[in-house]
Amino acid sequence: MKRKILIYLIFGLISIKGMSQSPNWTVITDPETGIEFSSPENTARFDSLYTTLYGGEIDSTEAVQVHIFRNADITNSDPVFNEALAQENNDTLRAIERLMLLASDSELTAIQEITTNGVRGLEIGITYKSLQTEIPYHTFVRYYMMDGNFISFTWTGIETNLKSAGGTKDSFFNSVNLD
């Protein structure tokens, strides 16, 4: 399950193509978890057995995504995860951060603990190069473990988006309601 989460996160960081551009945002409520967040009107929802992905494109170089992994069974039975967990003093969220960096070959640019509606989470910033263009992308991920679910909120953009889109990124993250 941990590897499935990491694979979805890593490949989910690439923006969803083919969506129309829209400056308007809407509030989305996930019907199974009740989690609310704002996202561009062009946000699409993809659902599989235990995973829901919401993805919206702001423009061709900036996007947001929400992943909800239901019944996420994160244990220390995997040796790699167990090592990360030991290095992070049994902090599951920080061990996940360590594995995301390892699996994505990314550079950590920021990390901070956050609390949303009383739920502890982490926000990490990473930089990686697009496989198609070698252009560096910046991604900020806020993620939580809540009621047996692993939930991540992701903003991705190029360098110029990072410098000018603090408002977009912050508005997206500040719209999250985990009640």
PDB file of all heavy atoms in Angstrom, residues 16-37:
ATOM      1  N   ILE A  16      -2.423  17.597 -15.086  1.00  0.00           N
ATOM      2  CA  ILE A  16      -3.352  16.911 -15.968  1.00  0.00           C
ATOM      3  C   ILE A  16      -3.561  17.768 -17.194  1.00  0.00           C
ATOM      4  O   ILE A  16      -3.961  18.917 -17.107  1.00  0.00           O
ATOM      5  CB  ILE A  16      -4.681  16.637 -15.243  1.00  0.00           C
ATOM      6  CG1 ILE A  16      -4.419  15.705 -14.077  1.00  0.00           C
ATOM      7  CG2 ILE A  16      -5.723  16.082 -16.181  1.00  0.00           C
ATOM      8  CD1 ILE A  16      -5.617  15.511 -13.198  1.00  0.00           C
ATOM      9  N   LYS A  17      -3.289  17.207 -18.370  1.00  0.00           N
ATOM     10  CA  LYS A  17      -3.389  17.953 -19.615  1.00  0.00           C
ATOM     11  C   LYS A  17      -4.784  17.794 -20.209  1.00  0.00           C
ATOM     12  O   LYS A  17      -5.539  16.896 -19.877  1.00  0.00           O
ATOM     13  CB  LYS A  17      -2.354  17.441 -20.633  1.00  0.00           C
ATOM     14  CG  LYS A  17      -0.941  17.619 -20.143  1.00  0.00           C
ATOM     15  CD  LYS A  17      -0.605  19.065 -19.976  1.00  0.00           C
ATOM     16  CE  LYS A  17       0.796  19.241 -19.437  1.00  0.00           C
ATOM     17  NZ  LYS A  17       1.054  20.559 -19.006  1.00  0.00           N
ATOM     18  N   GLY A  18      -5.102  18.660 -21.150  1.00  0.00           N
ATOM     19  CA  GLY A  18      -6.354  18.547 -21.884  1.00  0.00           C
ATOM     20  C   GLY A  18      -7.524  19.241 -21.220  1.00  0.00           C
ATOM     21  O   GLY A  18      -8.637  19.187 -21.724  1.00  0.00           O
ATOM     22  N   MET A  19      -7.316  19.889 -20.108  1.00  0.00           N
ATOM     23  CA  MET A  19      -8.408  20.590 -19.451  1.00  0.00           C
ATOM     24  C   MET A  19      -8.407  22.040 -19.909  1.00  0.00           C
ATOM     25  O   MET A  19      -7.370  22.624 -20.148  1.00  0.00           O
ATOM     26  CB  MET A  19      -8.246  20.539 -17.937  1.00  0.00           C
ATOM     27  CG  MET A  19      -8.347  19.164 -17.384  1.00  0.00           C
ATOM     28  SD  MET A  19      -8.190  19.251 -15.606  1.00  0.00           S
ATOM     29  CE  MET A  19      -8.169  17.536 -15.236  1.00  0.00           C
ATOM     30  N   SER A  20      -9.578  22.613 -20.008  1.00  0.00           N
ATOM     31  CA  SER A  20      -9.659  24.012 -20.410  1.00  0.00           C
ATOM     32  C   SER A  20      -9.194  24.901 -19.269  1.00  0.00           C
ATOM     33  O   SER A  20      -9.309  24.551 -18.109  1.00  0.00           O
ATOM     34  CB  SER A  20     -11.094  24.356 -20.790  1.00  0.00           C
ATOM     35  OG  SER A  20     -11.934  24.199 -19.672  1.00  0.00           O
ATOM     36  N   GLN A  21      -8.687  26.073 -19.628  1.00  0.00           N
ATOM     37  CA  GLN A  21      -8.238  27.005 -18.614  1.00  0.00           C
ATOM     38  C   GLN A  21      -9.437  27.750 -18.050  1.00  0.00           C
ATOM     39  O   GLN A  21     -10.371  28.072 -18.749  1.00  0.00           O
ATOM     40  CB  GLN A  21      -7.256  27.999 -19.218  1.00  0.00           C
ATOM     41  CG  GLN A  21      -5.981  27.339 -19.677  1.00  0.00           C
ATOM     42  CD  GLN A  21      -5.025  28.352 -20.258  1.00  0.00           C
ATOM     43  OE1 GLN A  21      -5.121  29.526 -20.006  1.00  0.00           O
ATOM     44  NE2 GLN A  21      -4.099  27.872 -21.058  1.00  0.00           N
ATOM     45  N   SER A  22      -9.406  28.011 -16.774  1.00  0.00           N
ATOM     46  CA  SER A  22     -10.496  28.727 -16.142  1.00  0.00           C
ATOM     47  C   SER A  22      -9.973  29.482 -14.936  1.00  0.00           C
ATOM     48  O   SER A  22      -9.350  28.889 -14.070  1.00  0.00           O
ATOM     49  CB  SER A  22     -11.579  27.735 -15.695  1.00  0.00           C
ATOM     50  OG  SER A  22     -12.553  28.406 -14.942  1.00  0.00           O
ATOM     51  N   PRO A  23     -10.240  30.783 -14.877  1.00  0.00           N
ATOM     52  CA  PRO A  23      -9.785  31.536 -13.717  1.00  0.00           C
ATOM     53  C   PRO A  23     -10.720  31.369 -12.522  1.00  0.00           C
ATOM     54  O   PRO A  23     -10.402  31.790 -11.431  1.00  0.00           O
ATOM     55  CB  PRO A  23      -9.799  32.984 -14.215  1.00  0.00           C
ATOM     56  CG  PRO A  23     -10.870  33.000 -15.254  1.00  0.00           C
ATOM     57  CD  PRO A  23     -10.845  31.626 -15.882  1.00  0.00           C
ATOM     58  N   ASN A  24     -11.874  30.766 -12.716  1.00  0.00           N
ATOM     59  CA  ASN A  24     -12.863  30.626 -11.649  1.00  0.00           C
ATOM     60  C   ASN A  24     -12.626  29.353 -10.845  1.00  0.00           C
ATOM     61  O   ASN A  24     -12.301  28.321 -11.391  1.00  0.00           O
ATOM     62  CB  ASN A  24     -14.271  30.606 -12.240  1.00  0.00           C
ATOM     63  CG  ASN A  24     -14.588  31.894 -12.967  1.00  0.00           C
ATOM     64  OD1 ASN A  24     -14.228  32.969 -12.505  1.00  0.00           O
ATOM     65  ND2 ASN A  24     -15.228  31.783 -14.109  1.00  0.00           N
ATOM     66  N   TRP A  25     -12.831  29.489  -9.545  1.00  0.00           N
ATOM     67  CA  TRP A  25     -12.656  28.359  -8.652  1.00  0.00           C
ATOM     68  C   TRP A  25     -13.997  28.013  -8.031  1.00  0.00           C
ATOM     69  O   TRP A  25     -14.890  28.855  -7.927  1.00  0.00           O
ATOM     70  CB  TRP A  25     -11.645  28.709  -7.566  1.00  0.00           C
ATOM     71  CG  TRP A  25     -10.229  28.751  -8.083  1.00  0.00           C
ATOM     72  CD1 TRP A  25      -9.765  29.470  -9.131  1.00  0.00           C
ATOM     73  CD2 TRP A  25      -9.113  28.040  -7.574  1.00  0.00           C
ATOM     74  NE1 TRP A  25      -8.420  29.269  -9.306  1.00  0.00           N
ATOM     75  CE2 TRP A  25      -8.000  28.390  -8.356  1.00  0.00           C
ATOM     76  CE3 TRP A  25      -8.939  27.152  -6.527  1.00  0.00           C
ATOM     77  CZ2 TRP A  25      -6.725  27.878  -8.130  1.00  0.00           C
ATOM     78  CZ3 TRP A  25      -7.672  26.651  -6.297  1.00  0.00           C
ATOM     79  CH2 TRP A  25      -6.583  27.006  -7.101  1.00  0.00           C
ATOM     80  N   THR A  26     -14.132  26.770  -7.600  1.00  0.00           N
ATOM     81  CA  THR A  26     -15.355  26.287  -6.983  1.00  0.00           C
ATOM     82  C   THR A  26     -15.006  25.458  -5.756  1.00  0.00           C
ATOM     83  O   THR A  26     -13.903  24.917  -5.669  1.00  0.00           O
ATOM     84  CB  THR A  26     -16.183  25.461  -7.993  1.00  0.00           C
ATOM     85  OG1 THR A  26     -17.429  25.138  -7.421  1.00  0.00           O
ATOM     86  CG2 THR A  26     -15.454  24.196  -8.418  1.00  0.00           C
ATOM     87  N   VAL A  27     -15.932  25.351  -4.830  1.00  0.00           N
ATOM     88  CA  VAL A  27     -15.727  24.516  -3.648  1.00  0.00           C
ATOM     89  C   VAL A  27     -16.162  23.100  -3.993  1.00  0.00           C
ATOM     90  O   VAL A  27     -17.258  22.880  -4.511  1.00  0.00           O
ATOM     91  CB  VAL A  27     -16.515  25.048  -2.433  1.00  0.00           C
ATOM     92  CG1 VAL A  27     -16.391  24.090  -1.253  1.00  0.00           C
ATOM     93  CG2 VAL A  27     -16.018  26.434  -2.051  1.00  0.00           C
ATOM     94  N   ILE A  28     -15.302  22.152  -3.698  1.00  0.00           N
ATOM     95  CA  ILE A  28     -15.579  20.729  -3.946  1.00  0.00           C
ATOM     96  C   ILE A  28     -15.653  20.030  -2.597  1.00  0.00           C
ATOM     97  O   ILE A  28     -14.820  20.260  -1.721  1.00  0.00           O
ATOM     98  CB  ILE A  28     -14.477  20.104  -4.823  1.00  0.00           C
ATOM     99  CG1 ILE A  28     -14.504  20.757  -6.212  1.00  0.00           C
ATOM    100  CG2 ILE A  28     -14.619  18.588  -4.902  1.00  0.00           C
ATOM    101  CD1 ILE A  28     -13.380  20.331  -7.117  1.00  0.00           C
ATOM    102  N   THR A  29     -16.642  19.166  -2.447  1.00  0.00           N
ATOM    103  CA  THR A  29     -16.770  18.331  -1.254  1.00  0.00           C
ATOM    104  C   THR A  29     -16.686  16.883  -1.690  1.00  0.00           C
ATOM    105  O   THR A  29     -17.489  16.430  -2.520  1.00  0.00           O
ATOM    106  CB  THR A  29     -18.119  18.585  -0.538  1.00  0.00           C
ATOM    107  OG1 THR A  29     -18.211  19.971  -0.209  1.00  0.00           O
ATOM    108  CG2 THR A  29     -18.221  17.747   0.726  1.00  0.00           C
ATOM    109  N   ASP A  30     -15.718  16.155  -1.158  1.00  0.00           N
ATOM    110  CA  ASP A  30     -15.604  14.733  -1.466  1.00  0.00           C
ATOM    111  C   ASP A  30     -16.767  14.007  -0.796  1.00  0.00           C
ATOM    112  O   ASP A  30     -16.938  14.113   0.429  1.00  0.00           O
ATOM    113  CB  ASP A  30     -14.273  14.171  -0.967  1.00  0.00           C
ATOM    114  CG  ASP A  30     -14.130  12.703  -1.270  1.00  0.00           C
ATOM    115  OD1 ASP A  30     -14.012  12.345  -2.455  1.00  0.00           O
ATOM    116  OD2 ASP A  30     -14.168  11.900  -0.302  1.00  0.00           O
ATOM    117  N   PRO A  31     -17.578  13.277  -1.557  1.00  0.00           N
ATOM    118  CA  PRO A  31     -18.776  12.664  -0.975  1.00  0.00           C
ATOM    119  C   PRO A  31     -18.506  11.569   0.057  1.00  0.00           C
ATOM    120  O   PRO A  31     -19.330  11.341   0.936  1.00  0.00           O
ATOM    121  CB  PRO A  31     -19.516  12.091  -2.193  1.00  0.00           C
ATOM    122  CG  PRO A  31     -18.484  11.957  -3.251  1.00  0.00           C
ATOM    123  CD  PRO A  31     -17.448  13.014  -2.980  1.00  0.00           C
ATOM    124  N   GLU A  32     -17.356  10.915  -0.022  1.00  0.00           N
ATOM    125  CA  GLU A  32     -17.088   9.819   0.912  1.00  0.00           C
ATOM    126  C   GLU A  32     -16.461  10.271   2.222  1.00  0.00           C
ATOM    127  O   GLU A  32     -16.687   9.657   3.259  1.00  0.00           O
ATOM    128  CB  GLU A  32     -16.200   8.775   0.243  1.00  0.00           C
ATOM    129  CG  GLU A  32     -16.918   8.057  -0.897  1.00  0.00           C
ATOM    130  CD  GLU A  32     -16.084   6.947  -1.473  1.00  0.00           C
ATOM    131  OE1 GLU A  32     -15.407   6.239  -0.695  1.00  0.00           O
ATOM    132  OE2 GLU A  32     -16.114   6.785  -2.704  1.00  0.00           O
ATOM    133  N   THR A  33     -15.646  11.330   2.185  1.00  0.00           N
ATOM    134  CA  THR A  33     -14.938  11.767   3.389  1.00  0.00           C
ATOM    135  C   THR A  33     -15.464  13.089   3.943  1.00  0.00           C
ATOM    136  O   THR A  33     -15.178  13.416   5.085  1.00  0.00           O
ATOM    137  CB  THR A  33     -13.434  11.938   3.101  1.00  0.00           C
ATOM    138  OG1 THR A  33     -13.272  12.956   2.108  1.00  0.00           O
ATOM    139  CG2 THR A  33     -12.800  10.633   2.644  1.00  0.00           C
ATOM    140  N   GLY A  34     -16.182  13.863   3.137  1.00  0.00           N
ATOM    141  CA  GLY A  34     -16.671  15.170   3.552  1.00  0.00           C
ATOM    142  C   GLY A  34     -15.618  16.257   3.488  1.00  0.00           C
ATOM    143  O   GLY A  34     -15.873  17.403   3.836  1.00  0.00           O
ATOM    144  N   ILE A  35     -14.420  15.941   3.028  1.00  0.00           N
ATOM    145  CA  ILE A  35     -13.343  16.919   2.912  1.00  0.00           C
ATOM    146  C   ILE A  35     -13.729  17.957   1.863  1.00  0.00           C
ATOM    147  O   ILE A  35     -14.220  17.617   0.785  1.00  0.00           O
ATOM    148  CB  ILE A  35     -12.029  16.219   2.526  1.00  0.00           C
ATOM    149  CG1 ILE A  35     -11.570  15.321   3.667  1.00  0.00           C
ATOM    150  CG2 ILE A  35     -10.952  17.220   2.145  1.00  0.00           C
ATOM    151  CD1 ILE A  35     -10.477  14.360   3.276  1.00  0.00           C
ATOM    152  N   GLU A  36     -13.506  19.235   2.195  1.00  0.00           N
ATOM    153  CA  GLU A  36     -13.816  20.326   1.281  1.00  0.00           C
ATOM    154  C   GLU A  36     -12.543  21.072   0.915  1.00  0.00           C
ATOM    155  O   GLU A  36     -11.627  21.198   1.735  1.00  0.00           O
ATOM    156  CB  GLU A  36     -14.775  21.332   1.924  1.00  0.00           C
ATOM    157  CG  GLU A  36     -16.159  20.825   2.143  1.00  0.00           C
ATOM    158  CD  GLU A  36     -17.062  21.881   2.755  1.00  0.00           C
ATOM    159  OE1 GLU A  36     -16.571  22.949   3.178  1.00  0.00           O
ATOM    160  OE2 GLU A  36     -18.269  21.630   2.812  1.00  0.00           O
ATOM    161  N   PHE A  37     -12.516  21.597  -0.324  1.00  0.00           N
ATOM    162  CA  PHE A  37     -11.402  22.415  -0.791  1.00  0.00           C
ATOM    163  C   PHE A  37     -11.864  23.182  -2.023  1.00  0.00           C
ATOM    164  O   PHE A  37     -12.854  22.810  -2.663  1.00  0.00           O
ATOM    165  CB  PHE A  37     -10.177  21.543  -1.133  1.00  0.00           C
ATOM    166  CG  PHE A  37     -10.467  20.485  -2.160  1.00  0.00           C
ATOM    167  CD1 PHE A  37     -10.237  20.718  -3.511  1.00  0.00           C
ATOM    168  CD2 PHE A  37     -10.980  19.256  -1.776  1.00  0.00           C
ATOM    169  CE1 PHE A  37     -10.518  19.739  -4.452  1.00  0.00           C
ATOM    170  CE2 PHE A  37     -11.257  18.265  -2.710  1.00  0.00           C
ATOM    171  CZ  PHE A  37     -11.030  18.507  -4.057  1.00  0.00           C
TER     172      PHE A  37
END
